[in-house]
Amino acid sequence: MRIAYFLPPNIAAPIETVTTGTPVVPYKWYFVGNSCRCIDIVIFFHVFCIAFTQNFTKAGEQEAARCDTKAQLKARGCGEEEIISPNISIKPEKNVSLSKSFNQQEPVQLSPQEISLKVRPGLPITFNVSFKRVEGYPVDLYYLMDLSYSMKDDLANVKKLGESLFQALKEITEHAQIGFGAFVDKTVLPYTNTNKEKLLKPCDEEEADQQCQAAFGYRHVLSMTPSEKEFRNKVKDQYISGNLDSPEGSLDAMMQAAVCGDKIGWRNSSTRLIVLTTDAGFHMAGDGKLAGILEPNDEQCHMEGNLYIKSSEMDYPSVGQLAAQFKKHNIQPIFAVTNNMEAVYQQLSNMIPKSEVGVLSSDSGNIVQLIKDAYNRLSSKVTVTHDNLPDDVSVVYKPICKHPQPSDNEGICDNVSVGEEISFEVTVTARSCMERKSFTIRPLGIKDTLTVTLSTNCECECEVDETNHVHCREKGRVSCGICRCNDGYVGQFCECAIGDKDERSLRASCQRQNGTECENRGDCVCGRCQCHRTEQGSYFHGDFCECDDENCERFQNKLCGGNGKCNCGTCECNKDYEGSACQCKKSLEGCRTLNGSECFGRGTCKCNRCECKEGYQRPRCETCLGCPDPCLTKLNCIECLGFQSGPFEKNCSEACGKSIFATVVDQFTFSDKLCHLKDSQSCWVDFKLKQLVGEDNYKAEILKQRDCPKPPDITAIIGGSIAGVALIGLLILMLIKLLIHLNDLKEFKKFENEKKKSRWAEVRYRGSHHSQHAQQAQDFFMFYSTT
């Protein structure tokens, strides 16, 4: 049996006992009965009990009344010996002692390795975790170098530092290995010149004798080796390369170095370091779009022939992806960068746990000391965190060491020396019931882990009476003092036979729209709610126990101000009081106007102040800022009352007689707003309105004389029309004459052209045709006269 959604009886919210579920509030409950038992639910870390005795609850009293503190249950007759409270348990499943030094076997630096917890929801449980840095613990260092052209001088120095680098590692451990890798950038535009010759030799052409290797993204050069000679020979064969832009593909290279463990040669038990040396920034996720590369990085190994073959097909990884893989594979990066890049990589380091930044000299001459210092800082700082934490579980760490560091979700000890044993106090809290959920606790950068298996104790250890019990009207069994009814019966004591109805339909009749049975304030008995008592001793009431008489508004910390009674959440005030909390004496003094009305009839007086109708303003509801202008709304009534015209001419007294008392005057007698508007006959009407008591109640004075427009002059209209017609006729005649004249001019020009064509004949036959010429002139004269 499980108990869920519990609150103690002295809390206003109701208590409900159900057969399934999980506790949702952190209290610790006990279950008490014939031999009082315990239920593992934690609520605010106070101890509550649940009584198992069959008659512990009264008729109609909720079964959750069995839940209470030990003191309260003792006061109600439950003895101390009857209360059983299962203890939480911590059981180490695997606890191998910490190793003192590395001896070619798997060292143990974290203890215990496996632990099982049995807890109560909401109740924290604490255990200790120990850690000790093993002396001589192996170190795997992967030297990852930027071979772009600007690192030319640095490469020359790196080729000489094999001996000093191995010597520095020997001071740390006798079990050191070194690997080597190089990177530049993706071999596509705009990162690298894709001209065939430039891909083969991307270096500066001014130095013709320099050795230059073809452009590449990331190349794995040397797997982990303890041999200084092998390291020196491999690095000696490396040459500078080049690209176009300043940022490099360092994130691509680090991702492959992290996930290609079998090719890099990382050992299972070792401190894994990646030393990145560069003088430039880095490309990150999204930059690949510049080259049309849209496929996101899949965090998988893609190396063939020691080359990253997906460099031109996959985008750069994000910082979050890289940090996750470093954490997964226990790799700690050291960023050895030039001074101008320190701030950039410091920000990157802030996003990658267990990483360090060191500043390179101009020729990388200080790289060995930089690595030593960074390793010491990394290894001396122990950070314990967790992975795969289940929902509703929280973990808090308290470091117990010489130099603890504050942190919200981690335990951090700084300046931890080799062989020094430190511990962390780990507090685990589960907020809900769960069964065998696991998560891991481990120090960052270290392989060792602690597996925590967590279970909660949410079960009641109740003895079930298998026979029909008289307490249950012989229609059910007793479990934890509560009746479990046989099929066909329901109720606190199985007293209700449901007949043809099923239990669900009976319970549905006790539920309002929110689906809560009797509002959690009563028991559903045969389809009707039997309401419980309130804390003050009265009863809830209503069809669904939705009402109580204790939660009305208060005034001066008195229910309904002490001047009324509470009924279902609403105050019913005594005769001389009013207000939502009966806080006011009835009075109209503050609502009286100069004319003796109450709020000008446009509001009601409550608590000696006006509550105005919509639009009207306090304190007396005299003016309405948002109401329509009465000059406009009353114009039709003014026209019909004053001049017997307009839309209301036929029913003026019915439409306007009750709202306006109008007088036609020669001169206004009161000084209210003047209205000057046009009526339906286009006459200008002057009138004044004065609002009386009430909303639609006005007194009006209408000026007798209207300003109407003069009637039109019929004679002038007719005369003008005749004159207009005559003028139009004259214009038409003139237009016809003009067209005829233009046609004559056209014919005359035609005649002139014909005359010019025949002049040559006149010159040749001047004498013989003189008479003919005269005849033509005469003909022309006659033609012109005719036209």
Side-chain angles (χ1 to χ4, degrees):
M1 182 178 187
R2 295 177 183 265
I3 305 297
Y5 307 105
F6 278 8
L7 289 173
N10 60 343
I11 293 179
I15 305 173
E16 180 65 11
T17 303
V18 295
T19 56
T20 59
T22 56
V24 294
V25 283
Y27 270 88
K28 184 176 177 182
W29 299 77
Y30 291 93
F31 208 71
V32 183
N34 294 333
S35 56
C36 296
R37 306 292 176 140
C38 169
I39 181 166
D40 300 306
I41 293 180
V42 181
I43 306 186
F44 301 141
F45 313 126
H46 297 301
V47 180
F48 287 81
C49 302
I50 298 180
F52 267 50
T53 51
Q54 296 165 9
N55 295 313
F56 188 83
T57 54
K58 301 174 182 177
E61 187 178 10
Q62 193 175 17
E63 292 293 351
R66 297 171 178 272
C67 305
D68 214 330
T69 62
K70 282 186 176 181
Q72 290 292 334
L73 286 179
K74 286 180 180 179
R76 296 182 64 176
C78 183
E80 175 71 31
E81 69 282 357
E82 296 177 310
I83 299 175
I84 301 175
S85 173
N87 295 319
I88 57 178
S89 64
I90 302 173
K91 181 181 179 183
E93 302 290 348
K94 184 178 180 181
N95 191 8
V96 180
S97 300
L98 298 174
S99 302
K100 295 182 179 179
S101 61
F102 183 75
N103 55 3
Q104 299 298 333
Q105 295 181 351
E106 195 77 21
V108 177
Q109 299 184 95
L110 186 70
S111 179
Q113 294 78 43
E114 295 179 12
I115 192 170
S116 295
L117 306 179
K118 189 76 170 180
V119 301
R120 296 184 183 183
L123 184 66
I125 186 170
T126 301
F127 59 91
N128 283 3
V129 176
S130 300
F131 176 84
K132 181 166 66 174
R133 288 178 59 190
V134 172
E135 184 178 356
Y137 194 68
V139 174
D140 288 342
L141 188 150
Y142 191 68
Y143 198 99
L144 191 55
M145 186 170 184
D146 177 5
L147 288 187
S148 60
Y149 189 76
S150 58
M151 293 289 286
K152 179 181 177 182
D153 294 339
D154 303 77
L155 178 60
N157 279 328
V158 171
K159 291 180 178 181
K160 303 174 185 177
L161 61 76
E163 181 179 355
S164 57
L165 186 56
F166 267 91
Q167 184 61 37
L169 290 177
K170 292 296 183 182
E171 295 176 6
I172 298 172
T173 176
E174 292 293 327
H175 311 283
Q177 292 189 149
I178 295 182
F180 188 86
F183 66 91
V184 183
D185 208 345
K186 297 183 184 294
T187 55
V188 292
L189 283 173
Y191 316 117
T192 304
N193 191 333
T194 55
N195 180 283
K196 186 175 181 180
E197 294 180 358
K198 276 293 185 181
L199 282 175
L200 294 175
K201 189 177 181 181
C203 303
D204 193 346
E205 295 178 355
E206 294 179 1
E207 300 182 30
D209 59 337
Q210 69 176 348
Q211 290 181 299
C212 179
Q213 62 175 317
F216 65 96
Y218 162 65
R219 174 180 286 117
H220 171 55
V221 177
L222 175 66
S223 297
M224 292 294 174
T225 177
S227 172
E228 174 193 339
K229 181 179 179 181
E230 188 177 0
F231 176 80
R232 186 172 59 249
N233 291 338
K234 285 288 186 179
V235 174
K236 185 172 62 175
D237 293 337
Q238 299 305 304
Y239 300 104
I240 213 71
S241 186
N243 62 331
L244 291 178
D245 63 342
S246 177
E248 316 294 5
S250 50
L251 266 60
D252 262 347
M254 287 190 288
M255 176 61 77
Q256 290 302 300
V259 299
C260 298
D262 55 336
K263 292 179 171 56
I264 303 299
W266 300 114
R267 287 176 289 184
N268 287 332
S269 297
S270 66
T271 299
R272 301 176 178 182
L273 304 175
I274 289 181
V275 178
L276 179 82
T277 59
T278 183
D279 62 351
F282 51 88
H283 286 294
M284 66 180 74
D287 288 354
K289 292 180 180 180
L290 296 173
I293 301 174
L294 303 180
E295 184 178 354
N297 195 285
D298 64 358
E299 304 178 51
Q300 301 297 318
C301 180
H302 298 287
M303 282 211 299
E304 289 184 12
N306 289 335
L307 276 175
Y308 176 33
I309 61 171
K310 294 283 187 178
S311 175
S312 301
E313 300 175 22
M314 282 189 179
D315 196 5
Y316 302 95
S318 67
V319 175
Q321 287 177 310
L322 188 63
Q325 291 301 326
F326 280 165
K327 182 178 180 181
K328 178 180 179 181
H329 297 286
N330 300 314
I331 295 173
Q332 304 174 61
I334 299 172
F335 303 116
V337 298
T338 51
N339 188 61
N340 62 317
M341 286 289 112
E342 181 183 10
V344 174
Y345 280 87
Q346 189 59 59
Q347 293 182 26
L348 178 62
S349 177
N350 293 339
M351 292 184 281
I352 299 179
K354 292 292 284 183
S355 61
E356 285 290 334
V357 178
V359 178
L360 283 171
S361 60
S362 58
D363 59 355
S364 297
N366 66 333
I367 184 64
V368 174
Q369 188 60 43
L370 186 153
I371 293 173
K372 287 176 63 177
D373 294 342
Y375 171 79
N376 288 332
R377 290 194 298 271
L378 286 171
S379 60
S380 64
K381 184 177 182 179
V382 180
T383 302
V384 173
T385 186
H386 48 263
D387 293 321
N388 305 317
L389 193 67
D391 294 337
D392 290 336
V393 176
S394 62
V395 180
V396 178
Y397 302 92
K398 179 183 178 182
I400 304 173
C401 54
K402 297 178 182 178
H403 304 282
Q405 299 294 316
S407 179
D408 293 334
N409 299 313
E410 298 174 331
I412 302 176
C413 283
D414 208 352
N415 298 327
V416 179
S417 58
V418 175
E420 178 184 354
E421 184 174 339
I422 60 173
S423 62
F424 297 87
E425 192 176 271
V426 183
T427 300
V428 179
T429 305
R431 294 182 295 275
S432 63
C433 292
M434 60 188 65
E435 189 67 28
R436 295 195 63 80
K437 298 288 185 179
S438 297
F439 63 95
T440 57
I441 295 175
R442 64 191 182 93
L444 292 179
I446 304 295
K447 180 188 175 184
D448 298 63
T449 61
L450 164 61
T451 300
V452 180
T453 302
L454 182 65
S455 297
T456 54
N457 194 351
C458 294
E459 300 296 326
C460 291
E461 300 172 358
C462 296
E463 295 178 359
V464 180
D465 189 346
E466 296 296 335
T467 60
N468 289 334
H469 201 281
V470 65
H471 178 67
C472 305
R473 307 290 194 270
E474 296 185 349
K475 301 295 190 298
R477 298 165 296 160
V478 174
S479 175
C480 300
I482 302 172
C483 287
R484 289 186 178 181
C485 301
N486 298 334
D487 293 340
Y489 295 90
V490 294
Q492 184 178 7
F493 305 108
C494 306
E495 70 275 19
C496 179
I498 60 179
D500 295 336
K501 296 183 179 180
D502 59 8
E503 184 177 0
R504 178 177 296 181
S505 61
L506 284 174
R507 291 188 178 277
S509 62
C510 297
Q511 298 172 1
R512 289 208 294 179
Q513 292 180 353
N514 60 9
T516 305
E517 188 175 294
C518 299
E519 297 295 316
N520 282 335
R521 294 171 168 179
D523 298 314
C524 186
V525 179
C526 293
R528 297 189 64 182
C529 288
Q530 290 186 357
C531 301
H532 298 155
R533 285 180 178 270
T534 65
E535 293 180 6
Q536 282 70 29
S538 63
Y539 281 91
F540 295 104
H541 59 93
D543 291 341
F544 304 98
C545 304
E546 72 275 14
C547 295
D548 72 84
D549 300 337
E550 298 170 0
N551 286 293
C552 288
E553 190 173 339
R554 293 176 177 269
F555 178 70
Q556 294 181 344
N557 204 29
K558 294 180 180 179
L559 193 66
C560 297
N563 303 311
K565 64 178 182 178
C566 180
N567 182 15
C568 199
T570 303
C571 286
E572 295 180 351
C573 301
N574 297 337
K575 181 178 180 181
D576 295 329
Y577 290 88
E578 62 182 347
S580 59
C582 304
Q583 72 273 28
C584 310
K585 268 197 169 185
K586 288 184 177 179
S587 174
L588 302 178
E589 291 302 319
C591 304
R592 292 290 183 190
T593 63
L594 295 177
N595 60 15
S597 66
E598 180 184 324
C599 304
F600 283 104
R602 298 188 277 274
T604 56
C605 189
K606 291 184 179 181
C607 286
N608 204 27
R609 60 183 297 185
C610 289
E611 289 189 1
C612 302
K613 296 182 179 179
E614 185 177 2
Y616 289 94
Q617 305 297 305
R618 286 176 175 174
R620 300 288 189 275
C621 312
E622 185 172 5
T623 58
C624 182
L625 299 181
C627 296
D629 187 355
C631 290
L632 297 174
T633 58
K634 301 301 180 184
L635 176 61
N636 292 334
C637 285
I638 293 296
E639 184 178 0
C640 80
L641 291 171
F643 306 102
Q644 292 77 47
S645 62
F648 296 152
E649 179 181 358
K650 296 183 179 180
N651 61 338
C652 188
S653 59
E654 181 181 346
C656 305
K658 297 180 180 179
S659 61
I660 299 180
F661 302 93
T663 305
V664 179
V665 297
D666 294 320
Q667 188 175 357
F668 294 119
T669 61
F670 54 81
S671 58
D672 287 66
K673 177 184 176 182
L674 175 65
C675 302
H676 180 70
L677 298 171
K678 275 187 179 182
D679 61 11
S680 61
Q681 299 178 356
S682 297
C683 295
W684 287 99
V685 181
D686 290 334
F687 60 96
K688 287 189 176 184
L689 290 172
K690 184 174 185 180
Q691 191 172 14
L692 304 177
V693 175
E695 287 186 84
D696 191 19
N697 190 18
Y698 292 89
K699 178 182 179 181
E701 287 188 347
I702 308 170
L703 205 60
K704 181 186 295 184
Q705 189 64 39
R706 287 190 295 181
D707 185 9
C708 297
K710 293 182 179 180
D713 190 344
I714 303 300
T715 304
I717 293 173
I718 295 174
S721 300
I722 295 173
V725 171
L727 180 61
I728 292 171
L730 181 61
L731 290 174
I732 292 173
L733 291 174
M734 291 178 67
L735 179 61
I736 294 172
K737 182 64 177 175
L738 177 62
L739 293 174
I740 293 173
H741 178 67
L742 292 175
N743 187 62
D744 290 347
L745 289 177
K746 180 179 179 183
E747 292 295 329
F748 179 73
K749 288 182 180 180
K750 183 178 180 182
F751 173 77
E752 286 289 325
N753 290 335
E754 291 293 331
K755 180 180 177 181
K756 289 177 182 179
K757 291 179 183 180
S758 59
R759 271 194 185 171
W760 63 274
E762 181 181 358
V763 174
R764 187 172 180 181
Y765 305 104
R766 185 180 299 270
S768 60
H769 297 282
H770 182 269
S771 60
Q772 183 178 358
H773 178 70
Q775 184 63 40
Q776 288 178 348
Q778 185 178 0
D779 292 341
F780 172 73
F781 179 76
M782 290 179 68
F783 172 78
Y784 186 76
S785 299
T786 303
T787 58

